[in-house]
Amino acid sequence: MENFKIEVDGDGIALVTFDVPGRSMNTLTGKVIAEIGALVERIKTDAAIKGVVIASGKASGFCAGADLGELGGSAGAGGEDRRSEQEKLQAAFDGGFALNRAFRALETCGKPVATALEGLALGGGLEFALATHYRVAANNPRLQLGLPEAKVGLLPGAGGTQRLPRIMGAMNAAPYLLEGKSMTAQEALAKGVVGAVVEPGQTVAAAREWVKTGDPVAPWDKKDFKLPGGGPYSPTGGQVFIMGNAMLRKQSYGNYPAQLNILKCLYEGLQVPIDAALRIETRYFLKTMQSPQARGMIRTLFLSMQELGKGASRPAGYAPYDVKKVAVLGAGMMGAGIAYVQAQAGIETVLVDVSVEAAEKGKGYARTLVEKAVKRGKLTAEKGETLLGLIHPTADYADVKGSDLVVEAVFESRELKATVTKLAEAQLAETAVMGSNTSTLPITGLAEASVRPANFIGIHFFSPVDKMGLVEIIMGKQTSEETLAKSIDYVLKIRKTPIVVNDSRGFYTSRCFGTFIQEGLEMLAEGIAPAIIDNVGRATGMPRGPLEMNDDVALDLAYKVREQTKKDLGEQYVGGPVDALITRMVVDLERFGRKNGKGFYDYPADGSAKKIWPGLKDIVAVKTPDADPALIEEIRTRLLYRQAIEAARCFEEGVLTDPRDADVGAILGWGFAPWTGGPINLIDSGGTAGVVAKRGALTAKYGSRYAPNALLREMASKGETFYGRFGAGAKAAA
């Protein structure tokens, strides 16, 4: 076998080492699944084997689960298939049940089998371990045990929905299944998922000791087995499904079939013996995998993120750029966050502001985060001080000297940005990169202040920087490919996911995110009740409704950006009724949003829940106080497709060139509904022809902002998709 090595000791205990060649982490590939069957056959038939310990040959952990690259390629696979429907269904079930069949064979092999878990075991990796009779975990703070399939639109399909609740009960298992939460070694011990926790390096020995006298029969295969907490029709168990169904609807709005199907697996599977339950799970797994949501989420949240996270957008032919020292200009909330993540990555950081006191205040943000991490046991005090020691607060631009890269993070003022750019560049070597963290101002214009525009690039972070995983890299007209390569190396070093876009006002993320807020304001101006707008906005899968999101971003910022845009565009600027609304809120009423407790909502000083500002009805009359299903669906469509159409325009204008950047950037950057797989996947899954036809009705009703652009109409006429025309495969073929 390629992936498993077997050594039998004098006591007849076989140590099976799981070690997929050529990979840093074990995954359940097709070859691995096939070899598990051969492994079980060897265990059953070899009289010399009395028991088994399964361990990993990888330092990184036991197993990261199924190979989603293989799975993503098979989800929704097309092509001509002349088999009968019954034959297709049987073939699909047989393929989907293969891993369940292999694990069940291991579980019923008649000999005690234990798993030694030194590191992470996720998804199918944990399901592999659950199919053995005993598990030993290392007392390792980095160890994770979990079933994260729901996060990419899938459900655990190798026994996870059946074995985990049979171990800990449906109520305890639900968060791990529905939310994809991970557990630590100690949590797993408390819930019975592992039988022992030992020091790192001792798991195999502890597992071997158990195997010497271990029980080779799983608890659920015994006649006296009782489900912890009771089944679906018990008084306690019934509450799990009544409340769970209601809570799921409240949290997901019915957008995620995976979570609903997980509940169905639990409800149906826990009423029958394990073998029947596993067949039920496989049927729901296949149904979920074929859903548009699963296909889109696998593509974007796993495959594309993995590719971009490995530098897929990096130009070839340039040596790796080892960023050791970076200067951050501006120690406000954004600059302070950037300084912190750089120090986390071991980068010497110069934090510059108008005074040492202001710079020290910025470093204080990092100190607060470090203190929280130390308090929670995620960081030692010594490592925390080392991290803080990498941040040097200063008001002297001479300290910028020797920096490999600069991130300018001052206020959105073209004049101020020009000033600090000149001050910083005076200290930089000709090979250094000058980056701007602007969220809206065109990079080509900002580069006019640079003496080396080829080295000038946009490096757009998202707030809060320590939590947001995306960085939008913006190429100006004169930015060199080498500068792009260096910038991507920097972003990867600070453990963020880079997307690359070309210059435009608002670039990609701010521009498309702005349409979500703008459409909400348009609806408000039309007279739709603000509660309807925001409630439906959340129901689309967005993290907040457009009005409350506007409050979070700050109404006065929107006003300032608009005023700068009007100044830049002059007579080309086209206003609308929303302009007057924002001016009234900001200039006349000083309602700036959450930042001063007054926006479209009121934010009580005592911290109680926000409420829609009663005075809003005096500014904009409510003409539509109630919502029927048709209106709800129209609002959902308007909010999602307003953003998607803008993303399509970005392709036509050359702002975007890769669908992966569009979809990953949308979900990570502003929280575009993850269940769609991103705005471009949303268009592709609906078919460009269908999108053009449906948007025609919205254009007629609401205006040109919904009009499909020329590129989209051309693609519709040819039956093309964005991934087919602009994806990595198309580029490789070209």
Side-chain angles (χ1 to χ4, degrees):
M1 291 181 285
E2 288 183 17
N3 303 286
F4 297 95
K5 298 174 183 177
I6 304 176
E7 300 174 77
V8 183
D9 67 13
D11 294 323
I13 298 174
L15 174 62
V16 176
T17 304
F18 181 17
D19 195 355
V20 180
R23 300 199 179 194
S24 60
M25 172 61 73
N26 290 326
T27 57
L28 297 171
T29 64
K31 286 186 177 180
V32 169
I33 295 170
E35 286 188 5
I36 292 175
L39 172 66
V40 174
E41 188 63 22
R42 166 78 187 277
I43 293 169
K44 289 173 64 176
T45 59
D46 190 338
I49 296 177
K50 309 300 182 185
V52 179
V53 173
I54 302 176
S56 172
K58 309 289 187 187
S60 52
F62 180 67
C63 178
D67 188 318
L68 287 185
E70 290 184 4
L71 194 62
S74 65
E80 185 179 5
D81 190 339
R82 296 184 179 181
R83 294 174 297 177
S84 69
E85 288 303 312
Q86 183 60 38
E87 289 172 332
K88 292 177 189 176
L89 288 172
Q90 187 62 54
F93 179 83
D94 289 343
F97 195 64
L99 194 53
N100 254 330
R101 183 182 293 109
F103 286 167
R104 184 62 174 150
L106 178 65
E107 188 173 54
T108 58
C109 70
K111 298 175 182 179
V113 183
T115 313
L117 301 169
E118 286 286 339
L120 64 81
L122 298 175
L126 179 57
E127 289 174 302
F128 193 169
L130 293 176
T132 64
H133 306 107
Y134 190 77
R135 292 155 294 281
V136 179
N139 188 21
N140 176 359
R142 294 186 178 182
L143 180 141
Q144 291 183 67
L145 305 178
L147 299 168
E149 286 88 347
K151 293 181 179 180
V152 290
L154 289 173
L155 60 80
T161 68
Q162 302 308 313
R163 291 190 178 90
L164 197 66
R166 282 171 167 79
I167 290 172
M168 63 170 66
M171 180 179 291
N172 286 330
Y176 298 101
L177 294 167
L178 295 170
E179 301 170 30
K181 290 176 59 177
S182 291
M183 62 186 84
T184 65
Q186 295 300 332
E187 289 170 338
L189 180 64
K191 290 176 167 49
V193 176
V194 300
V197 174
V198 299
E199 289 306 302
Q202 300 300 312
T203 57
V204 170
R208 181 179 275 114
E209 283 303 308
W210 179 87
V211 166
K212 289 178 180 178
T213 57
D215 187 349
V217 181
W220 38 88
D221 283 325
K222 297 178 179 180
K223 291 183 179 181
D224 60 350
F225 175 71
K226 291 184 179 180
L227 184 70
Y233 289 106
S234 68
T236 304
Q239 291 297 313
V240 173
F241 294 95
I242 294 171
M243 297 300 295
N245 196 44
M247 290 177 65
L248 178 62
R249 184 70 191 181
K250 178 183 177 182
Q251 294 172 359
S252 71
Y253 299 96
N255 292 322
Y256 297 90
Q259 276 78 356
L260 179 59
N261 288 339
I262 286 170
L263 270 186
K264 290 179 178 179
C265 283
L266 288 170
Y267 180 76
E268 296 176 27
L270 295 180
Q271 299 182 60
V272 297
I274 187 72
D275 288 300
L278 294 174
R279 292 194 295 271
I280 289 170
E281 180 189 75
T282 294
R283 293 190 182 100
Y284 279 116
F285 173 77
L286 292 170
K287 181 179 180 180
T288 305
M289 190 174 73
Q290 295 302 319
S291 69
Q293 293 91 333
R295 293 198 300 271
M297 292 175 74
I298 290 171
R299 169 192 268 173
T300 300
L301 296 177
F302 182 79
L303 300 177
S304 293
M305 275 189 61
Q306 189 177 68
E307 290 160 4
L308 295 178
K310 292 180 179 178
S313 300
R314 189 186 191 277
Y318 299 99
Y321 191 58
D322 188 9
V323 178
K324 296 179 179 178
K325 179 179 179 180
V326 176
V328 179
L329 312 183
M333 194 67 175
M334 187 66 78
I338 296 168
Y340 173 73
V341 298
Q342 288 178 177
Q344 272 190 314
I347 296 173
E348 180 186 350
T349 298
V350 179
L351 186 57
V352 185
D353 213 302
V354 293
S355 67
V356 174
E357 291 75 18
E360 285 283 1
K361 184 178 179 181
K363 182 175 179 176
Y365 176 76
R367 186 174 296 280
T368 299
L369 293 177
V370 165
E371 289 173 351
K372 286 182 180 178
V374 171
K375 187 175 181 180
R376 293 171 182 171
K378 295 183 177 181
L379 192 69
T380 65
E382 182 180 2
K383 288 184 178 179
E385 286 304 314
T386 299
L387 186 157
L388 291 171
L390 289 170
I391 302 174
H392 174 55
T394 184
D396 188 352
Y397 275 80
D399 293 332
V400 173
K401 189 172 184 178
S403 295
D404 302 302
L405 184 143
V406 171
V407 180
E408 167 270 299
V410 300
F411 297 120
E412 292 288 271
S413 162
R414 191 182 304 280
E415 293 75 18
L416 177 58
K417 289 178 181 294
T419 298
V420 300
T421 294
K422 291 174 182 177
L423 289 170
E425 284 192 337
Q427 306 296 328
L428 295 178
E430 291 187 2
T431 56
V433 173
M434 182 72 207
S436 175
N437 180 55
T438 179
S439 59
T440 57
L441 299 178
I443 293 300
T444 302
L446 294 179
E448 292 174 2
S450 173
V451 295
R452 289 183 291 273
N455 294 22
F456 196 97
I457 197 166
I459 304 177
H460 177 207
F461 288 84
F462 296 79
S463 184
V465 179
D466 55 291
K467 294 180 180 178
M468 299 294 280
L470 184 75
V471 175
E472 182 180 32
I473 299 177
I474 307 104
M475 296 285 286
K477 286 185 179 179
Q478 297 185 62
T479 306
S480 71
E481 292 283 289
E482 183 177 7
T483 297
L484 172 60
K486 290 178 176 179
S487 300
I488 289 177
D489 288 345
Y490 159 69
V491 173
L492 296 180
K493 184 166 184 175
I494 60 174
R495 302 181 187 93
K496 303 289 185 185
T497 301
I499 64 169
V500 179
V501 305
N502 290 315
D503 201 12
S504 167
R505 182 170 297 279
F507 320 126
Y508 166 58
T509 55
S510 296
R511 172 176 169 176
C512 289
F513 167 63
T515 64
F516 174 68
I517 290 179
Q518 185 75 13
E519 196 61 24
L521 296 176
E522 295 278 0
M523 292 175 183
L524 184 63
E526 292 165 17
I528 299 176
I532 294 175
I533 296 168
D534 273 358
N535 284 335
V536 178
R538 287 190 293 272
T540 65
M542 297 292 290
R544 291 214 189 353
L547 303 181
E548 57 185 342
M549 189 83 84
N550 206 348
D551 273 2
D552 289 347
V553 173
L555 303 186
D556 61 326
L557 176 60
Y559 174 78
K560 290 173 184 176
V561 169
R562 188 196 71 191
E563 291 302 298
Q564 182 68 58
T565 302
K566 287 170 66 177
K567 180 180 177 182
D568 290 348
L569 296 182
E571 294 181 357
Q572 292 181 317
Y573 179 80
V574 179
V578 170
D579 286 4
L581 172 61
I582 292 296
T583 299
R584 178 88 169 114
M585 294 286 285
V586 174
V587 178
D588 300 339
L589 300 172
E590 296 186 342
R591 299 190 70 87
F592 302 152
R594 185 184 288 273
K595 65 192 287 185
N596 75 333
K598 300 183 297 181
F600 292 115
Y601 289 76
D602 280 328
Y603 300 86
D606 62 5
S608 55
K610 65 177 187 269
K611 294 182 180 179
I612 292 172
W613 175 46
L616 191 55
K617 64 181 181 297
D618 299 325
I619 298 177
V620 184
V622 174
K623 301 174 184 176
T624 309
D626 301 304
D628 58 26
L631 177 62
I632 291 172
E633 184 57 32
E634 182 173 274
I635 292 174
R636 279 173 60 97
T637 300
R638 288 177 65 180
L639 290 174
L640 287 175
Y641 279 94
R642 177 75 193 279
Q643 299 173 77
I645 292 294
E646 195 66 24
R649 291 189 180 117
C650 286
F651 273 94
E652 183 174 68
E653 297 170 21
V655 176
L656 286 168
T657 60
D658 191 323
R660 296 175 298 184
D661 290 328
D663 286 337
V664 170
I667 294 175
L668 293 189
W670 73 88
F672 187 85
W675 63 269
T676 66
I680 293 303
N681 187 76
L682 178 66
I683 292 176
D684 277 3
S685 63
T688 49
V691 169
V692 167
K694 291 176 182 177
R695 301 297 73 77
L698 289 176
T699 302
K701 192 172 182 180
Y702 296 109
S704 61
R705 64 183 184 272
Y706 282 105
N709 56 309
L711 172 65
L712 193 53
R713 293 196 302 272
E714 177 198 336
M715 291 173 62
S717 69
K718 297 178 179 178
E720 292 180 329
T721 64
F722 280 91
Y723 275 88
R725 179 163 174 166
F726 296 100
K731 291 178 179 178

